[in-house]
């Protein structure tokens, strides 16, 4: 046999022996530096390592991020375009409570207050009355520092389409009701036990009358709600400049 052929044969034998030894070592010790590949139903029966989450994966994002998104998207999904166009929410709260039932209760309470502001803005007395208890009480600038109980006081305002301007009360005909845009700013929801809640926020109200005069008012409001027959009803309101 020629020397060239003999050298080629020896080289092939050595390479085959070394490669076989490497495979045997790798399978027995598992110490190779290869990138791990998840084993989906392999014959070895070993559990596969969980995939490393990607920062761009929305499911792998921190809980507070997904909670923030649900808080910001909640209002449009809950109220639709009609109410959201009249009553907007700026700086929505973070529903970051660990207990999901607490998160759901806070959302329900805030949705009730949002709807209430909508009914006030569009002058829907019937819907407003359904959301308050007959024993509802309030302190408001219009009550002149007096605690008022019952719905009659507000019913008169609805029926006469009251338009508030600074510290005066101007009554206009219902057909001349101004255009209203309301913004609820930084609402804060507190649960008091399981059947009571308190919502505090700042409300900006923009009104444009028939002469295209636009005014902006700011109110600081606190509304107390109670769960009554499986639904939330307003029992007290405190409003001030």
């Amino acid at each position: 046999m020629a020397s060239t052929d003999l050298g080629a044969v020896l080289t092939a034998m050595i390479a085959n022996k070394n490669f076989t030894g490497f495979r045997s070592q790798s399978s027995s010790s598992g110490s190779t530096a290869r990138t791990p590949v998840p084993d989906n139903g392999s014959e070895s029966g070993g559990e596969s390592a969980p995939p490393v989450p990607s920062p761009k994966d929305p499911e792998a994002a921190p809980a507070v991020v997904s909670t923030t998104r649900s808080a910001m998207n909640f209002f449009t999904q809950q109220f639709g375009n009609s109410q959201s166009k009249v009553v907007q929410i700026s700086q929505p709260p973070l529903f970051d409570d660990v207990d999901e039932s607490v998160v759901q209760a806070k959302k329900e309470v805030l949705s009730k207050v949002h709807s209430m502001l909508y009914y006030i803005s569009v002058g829907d007395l019937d819907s407003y009355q359904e959301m308050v208890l007959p024993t509802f009480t309030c302190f408001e600038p219009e009550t002149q520092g007096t605690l008022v109980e019952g719905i009659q006081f507000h019913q008169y305002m609805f029926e006469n389409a009251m338009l508030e301007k600074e510290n005066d009360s101007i009554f206009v005909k219902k057909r001349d009701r101004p255009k209203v845009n309301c913004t609820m700013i930084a609402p804060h929801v507190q649960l008091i036990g399981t059947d009571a809640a308190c919502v505090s926020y700042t409300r900006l109200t923009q009104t444009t009358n028939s002469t295209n005069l636009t005014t902006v008012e700011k109110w600081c409001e606190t509304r107390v709600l109670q769960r009554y027959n499986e639904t939330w009803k307003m029992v007290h309101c405190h409003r001030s400049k």
Side-chain angles (χ1 to χ4, degrees), residues 126-236:
D126 294 335
S127 297
Y128 178 84
Q129 285 180 316
E130 292 179 359
M131 302 188 70
V132 301
L133 288 179
T135 56
F136 163 72
T137 58
C138 68
F139 278 114
E140 297 180 355
E142 295 78 21
T143 66
Q144 303 295 314
T146 304
L147 180 66
V148 172
E149 181 177 356
I151 193 63
Q152 292 78 13
F153 184 83
H154 292 90
Q155 182 178 350
Y156 182 82
M157 294 181 180
F158 272 95
E159 292 175 346
N160 291 276
M162 189 188 81
L163 169 63
E164 298 168 351
K165 262 191 176 181
E166 296 181 354
N167 295 325
D168 299 326
S169 295
I170 301 175
F171 292 86
V172 297
K173 295 180 180 179
K174 201 162 190 175
R175 64 174 179 271
D176 296 328
R177 177 180 291 278
K179 297 179 181 178
V180 178
N181 184 70
C182 177
T183 304
M184 179 192 291
I185 302 174
H188 180 66
V189 183
Q190 300 180 78
L191 296 183
I192 308 170
T194 58
D195 295 324
C198 179
V199 183
S200 303
Y201 54 91
T202 300
R203 174 161 64 113
L204 289 180
T205 302
Q206 301 163 277
T207 57
T208 302
N209 61 16
S210 57
T211 63
N212 290 325
L213 174 64
T214 300
T215 59
V216 181
E217 294 179 301
K218 183 182 77 171
W219 304 100
C220 298
E221 297 185 351
T222 298
R223 297 182 184 268
V224 180
L225 294 87
Q226 177 183 354
R227 198 194 301 269
Y228 183 79
N229 287 343
E230 301 303 321
T231 187
W232 291 97
K233 301 278 189 178
M234 188 170 66
V235 297
H236 180 74

